[in-house]
Amino acid sequence: MARTYNVVTYGCQMNVHDSERISGLLEQAGYERAPAGDDTPDIVVFNTCAVRENADNRLYGNLGRLRPVKDKHPGMQIAVGGCLAQKDRGEIVRKAPWVDVVFGTHNIGALPVLLERARHNAAAEVEILESLDVFPSTLPTRRESTYAGWVSISVGCNNTCTFCIVPALRGKEKDRRPGDILSEVRALVDEGVLEVTLLGQNVNSYGVEFGDRYAFGKLLRACGDIDGLERVRFTSPHPKDFTDDVIAAMAETPNVCHSLHMPLQSGSDDVLKAMRRSYRSERYLGIIEKVRAAMPDAAITTDIIVGFPGETEADFQRTLDVVREARFSSAFTFQYSKRPGTPAATMDGQLPKQVVQERYERLVACVEEITWAENKRLVGETVEVLVALGEGRKDERTGRMSGRARDGRLVHFATEAPGTDSMAGQIRPGDIVHTTITYAAPHHLNADGAPVAHRRTRAGDAAEAGRSPRTPGVLLGLPTIGAPPVVAAPTAGCATH
Ligand code: SF4
């Protein structure tokens, strides 16, 4: 019988996508995913995140709980990867000597070999590389979704935001060649995927490695030429590097969704300066104005940190002002907490917990008032929904299904009108429905009438058949990172940063 594995993921979309690669690698090496509810897989991989202050307590707590399980199951192996592993390295096996493998953010591909070596030598293997040698998208990937896929365009970051550990753990930005990116997008579309999200710590600086500041706009336009690709999204842009060309590319390319997740972090210029975020609130609001002028239906979402060291009440008020002016459709709000290894962790002016909590509550109330008002504007509109799996926790009880509108909003929709036949059995995750919004809440929309249209898709067929896309390892010859050869990039042609 094949040995089984389970991957436990913490953190951002980067980690979620890295976990898809870890699963792909393990399956290529002959392991099988452990069935849901199996507490004793042969391999447990923790893909960790170092962003939160207590991330290590959480990891060591989980490792401690797993120790007696491992003692009772000879042959079980535990591997720890991701950002915390890159940071703590050998410390992990010193604190938890029952861990078999520690691998970093730059050598995910080594995991199967490290597991094998640890088993053969009956000793822990710790391998951390200082920089990336192979772009991770060259690894086989077991995709979790039949209808939506992540595609990395870059890894690492050249910025030095003082609250962020990413540059220390993921290294400098490495850009992937446009041809390789588009080839992966096409491979996903060939398997029925309808939506891709282009992924990078700072997608707007894509091209910096090969000297083309318009490379990201070109990439969006090139995605527009891919038949069968219905939705293109990206995350995360950085206001500093945002060009008008990207706004034009979004507006002109029909399959690029009119949704933009652009981290604000603070509305105060003094706090932005202390964060070493090199834009100011005026520039941020200017980008939003241009995006709305080009795409009046654009939904803009953001990340905001409250209680950064030195933040005064006046600074916080500026954040509220920007929130009111920007009219976000959703915001991820975070209370500042020290992240070990970051410059901000040792700054003067750390704020008492109760001050941060009180400001946070006021921010959440302000954000909800605005997002609710923005959502209400959609009542009565008919929207296109890509039906999703696992987006509606109450769906079973309410008899609804759920998915995302083109602008990224979460929609819970009824599958029948009172007195009519239910379409529930016919609509599958990955299908497209059009439905009319009847109610708005701060974080979602409801559509309580029957859908006005339903389109069966190949992604829906794949979901029904229980198939998920697998992108093979190297797609185009040798694995490549960095500068492309001297050929024109295609011109015809998508965590908290
Ligand atoms: S917050 Fe984002 S842009 Fe800033 S250093 Fe971290 S990854 Fe880079």
Side-chain angles (χ1 to χ4, degrees), residues 156-168 200-202 236-238 240-241 263 265 275-277 305 339 495-497:
C157 181
N158 292 347
N159 292 314
T160 53
C161 303
T162 51
F163 55 81
C164 182
I165 194 81
V166 165
Q201 299 292 353
N202 175 4
S236 292
H238 194 299
K240 175 184 74 142
D241 301 305
Q265 305 306 13
M275 288 174 164
R276 237 185 268 144
R277 307 266 302 174
I305 297 173
R339 295 161 189 187
T496 59
H497 306 292

